[in-house]
Every structure is written in structure tokens, then in C-alpha cells.
Amino acid sequence: MTQSIETNVLIAGGGPFGLMLANELGRRNIRCLLVDPKPSTAFNPQANATQARTMEHFRRLGFANEIRAQGLPPHHPTDIAYLTRFSGTELARLRLPTAAAAPQAIKAMSGSWSAAELPHRVSQKFVEVCLRKHAEEFASNDIRYGWKLESFSDSSVDKATKPIQALIERVNESSQNASTTPERIQVHANYLIGADGARSSIRHHLQIPWGGATGFKRNFMGGKMLAVYLKAPQFYPRNPNDRAWMYVAVNPELRAFIMSVDGESEFAFHVQMSDDASTEALTAEDAKRLFSLAFGQTIDIEILSMATWLAGHALVAESFQKGHVFLGGDAVHLFTPTGGLGYNTAVEDAVNLGWKLAAVLKGQAQPQLLNSYELERKPLAIRNTTYARQFADSIGLFDADTRLEEASPEGEHARSIASDYLNGHVRREFNIPGVTFGGRYDQSPLIVADGTQPPEDAANTYTPSACPGGRPPHAWLPDGSSLFDSFNFEWTLLSLGEPYSDVRAFVEAAAKLKLDLKVVKHASNDLAQLYEANLVLIRPDQIVAWRGADTTQAEAILKQACGA
């Protein structure tokens, strides 16, 4: 007889979206079963940049410092450098703080970079290990790698029956209680989450098509790419240039980039292939030859893994939900990885969906609250894939002059032109506080508008604003802590400036609605001026839901904001 178990949420996929959602649900004591057919978290580096907003969410969950300790050594530069070859002539560079310097560096920043955290250069493989560790700490979570979703159906016969009926199968023989025959378990769940990546079988089963565009052809970051995870112990000793986290090779012979995984010998190397290249016939020797070309001299490497992939996507699924099934991460948005936006967008998908699932499952909100997930996240996915496409165009459509590597006046002139352009590009792609902090939910029915207009959305500048629908403005408090650290994990009502406002109406309404609302008082008139209000309602995902001074409509405000 097939074993049967019940859970609240079944998550199919153990990448950043699935694991982050398991953390959000676990923190709220929601029963969650996560399955992933891989034997463990990712082996390959995959995404390599954690944006500052993602780091703020890791801080909210209590493990930002743990993430920051992963990846590069504390004092390893996190610069991005553009060169003719990895060991060739440097053309452009963006210098950035090391992991060790970041916590103090951010406290000296203001304006666009007024934040609790700076970005961190760390491979996804390390992030997933940390996310998994913390997800497994919650008693309500059941995390199973080496298991796959075999089939599912979504049908509610009556209110007493969980609508999701799924079959999971153990595929990894190293799993606990392994046997010679596959083990199957029938799962009954309230909701199924498709966290199963770009080729999502769940999305295909639901017949949800991609929207957007794909197939962009560029000199770089468009078309066939070869990815190689490798060890190159001689990369730094034989490279005369200053150390960096990421090196981009720009020359008329080939285009490639490489990122340091561990700051010592492990790297993620990607090279553009020609359209007519037979990627199926690529050998390890081909990869070694291409690496030496990109480096600028023959250098020995050990290949840990290699695969081909296609750049040139800006795709967003037509729908993020069907019935009791929700999709997130790469299952609903596919990026060309310029700007590092795919993984970071996936994390925020989980942050958005997590509190809403919990609210519905705890009876604090009607199921219609979950409709706001697509309403809020789909426009952000379209926005972010558009930005990534712009960054890819900026570098990918740049032509490397045929004289770029010549030791001649013409070569010097070509390098000067390239340097001017690439120094502009590196800041367009990697100095992006507007993309990082500027995402908004202005059209959401959960946002209580106040008639003000938000700042213009721009990639490279960000104007802090408490206009409802966006991230709260950040500030450092007199004791050196972050304003965000004073927020409640669930709902926060900020009472700013003196004298304090009478907030009893909000406290009573929250109790009636069974909301975990914490009143946080800060006497600072500077904060009141920053927020342009004395009272500010902050959602569990750290989004401004309302601001004002009138408390007579407290219950109506809370009902709208929480979907009650």
C-alpha cells in the first residue's frame, strides 16, 4: 500500500525560490514538504550575485552575516574588471567593498545606497546550503532531496478534502530508508508550489505559456554559451592584473567572462559560442582551449563540470497561478543573467508569497488574498527581465575593434574608446540601486494609496520614498542599528516623531483581525520627515502598505492591506 501524508504546502523544487519559501513558511509554523530530484543542493555555481535587497531579506530572517561569510574570502576584492583577455590589458573596472568592509561601508552611504545591506558576491551553491540548513531547522518543514513530484491533480470535492493530490517518488538511492525499488508517497496538500525551474513540468502540465521575447542575437550574451565550472590554481599567480571577483574578456576573437567561486582556485567560466557551433560535440579539450584563449596564455585547468546554455531570454509566464497551484522563480521568469536579477527576483517571489499563504492557511485572510501574488509579482518580473535585457544589449551589442589588441597608435585609440564605453557600461549594469530597491506594487489592491506619486523608476538611481507600495526608506538609528531591525517579522506600525500618535484604534483592529501587529515608536522627527508621515504601516515583506495620521479608519486600512 502506498504511504499517505498530509501537509499544508507541497513545494516542488529546492532552488532559491523553493528554499526561501520553505524558510518563510517554517518561520510561520506552516507545514511544508519540499521535494527535489537532485541528491542535494546545487553542485554548480549558477547565480553569483546576491543583491542588497535580497541581503536585507536574509537579514530579516537572521542569517545575512552567515551568507556574507560564504563565497570569497573576507578581504578578496569584489571588483568587476573588463580586459582584452583575463591576463591582458585592463579596459575598465568598478571597485567595490570586500565582504569584510561591507558592514561598515554601508553605514557611511546615503541617498541611493541608503540600505541595511550591500550586495554580496557569492555563488548560489553556497546560498542554497545556507537556506537549506535554516529551512531544516523548523519542525514544520520536511525537506527531501532525492525525491521528485511524479504527478498531481487539483480538485476540491468538499471543504474537508485537501485539493492537491500528488504522488512523490524517491529517485536517489542514497536517501534515507533507500531500497531497491522506488518508494512512492501520496501527498495531500492545500497548495502546490512549482519551484521546478525554467523547464517547469508543473507549468507545462498547467499549459501556461511564456510571454515576452527570446532568441536575441548579440556578439555576447545572446545565443549559445558554454559554461565551465573549473579549477585553475595558476589563474591568480599568472595574472598581472589586480584581483577582481569578475573578469570580462573583450576582444575580436572571443567574448567571455569568469567569476571567482572561492577566491582561490575555483571559477565559473562562460564563453560565447558561434551560432553554427556544434555544442553537442564539445569536448573537455575544446573547453580548455577556449579558456586559454580567454586567459591570454596557455594555462592548465581541471574541469569540474561543463554544459551549454542559451542566452537571450526575457520571458515571463502568462500566469503565476492556476487553482491551488502557484509558480515562482525560473518557472515563471527567465532572464539573460546580466545584472544578476533572476535569482534575486526569485527570492522576492518567495518573500511575497510566503506571508500570504500563511495568512490564508491560518484563517487570517480570505483565499482571494493569494490572487495578489500574480498581481504584484508579474509586473516586477516584466520590469526586471526588461532591465536585464537592456544590460545585455549594452554589453552584447558592443563591437570589439579588430585593432583592440594591437601595439600601435590605432590599437591605443581603440582601447581608449573601449575603455570609455566599458567604464560607463559596468556602472550601468552593476551600480543598480534603482533596480535593487525600486520595485513597487502600486497597482495592488492591498496598497492603500495616499494620492502621492512615487519617484521615477530608474536603474542606476534610487530615491527613498515611503509612498505606499514600495520598500520603506532606510535609516541608521542612534545606537548604530538598522531601522529595519526594529520592524516586527509580521506587521509593523511605525509611530514617528513627537508627540507620539494615539494608535489604540490600530491595536484594537489588529487584535480583532488576529494580526500580529507591533507598534514601533521612534521619537526622531527626522524619521517623520523621511517618511512624510507620523504613522506608517509596514507589511510582513517590508513593503509600505499605508501612511498617514488619521486612525479613524484603522480597521478598514488593515482589512485592505491584509486581504481580510
Side-chain angles (χ1 to χ4, degrees), residues 89-111:
T89 302
E90 184 173 306
L91 301 169
R93 181 179 288 257
L94 178 62
R95 296 189 182 274
L96 295 168
T98 65
Q104 288 305 314
I106 190 61
K107 291 190 175 183
M109 295 183 181
S110 60

Side-chain angles (χ1 to χ4, degrees), residues 31 149 225 257 267 323 340 366 500 550:
R31 286 183 301 158
L149 177 68
M225 302 283 294
F257 68 98
F267 297 88
Q366 296 298 314
Y500 290 125
D550 184 5

Side-chain angles (χ1 to χ4, degrees), residues 218-235:
R218 307 182 183 95
N219 298 328
F220 186 44
M221 285 297 189
K224 297 177 182 177
M225 302 283 294
L226 174 64
V228 186
Y229 179 27
L230 58 88
K231 284 189 175 181
Q234 292 301 306
F235 185 92

Side-chain angles (χ1 to χ4, degrees), residues 5-48:
I5 60 175
E6 291 194 0
T7 191
N8 292 133
V9 181
L10 171 59
I11 302 175
F17 169 67
L19 286 169
M20 188 67 175
L21 183 58
N23 275 280
E24 295 286 344
L25 296 174
R27 179 72 180 265
R28 296 176 169 95
N29 199 32
I30 298 298
R31 286 183 301 158
C32 168
L33 168 62
L34 182 150
V35 296
D36 190 298
K38 299 191 305 296
S40 187
T41 51
F43 171 76
N44 291 309
Q46 298 180 295
N48 287 276

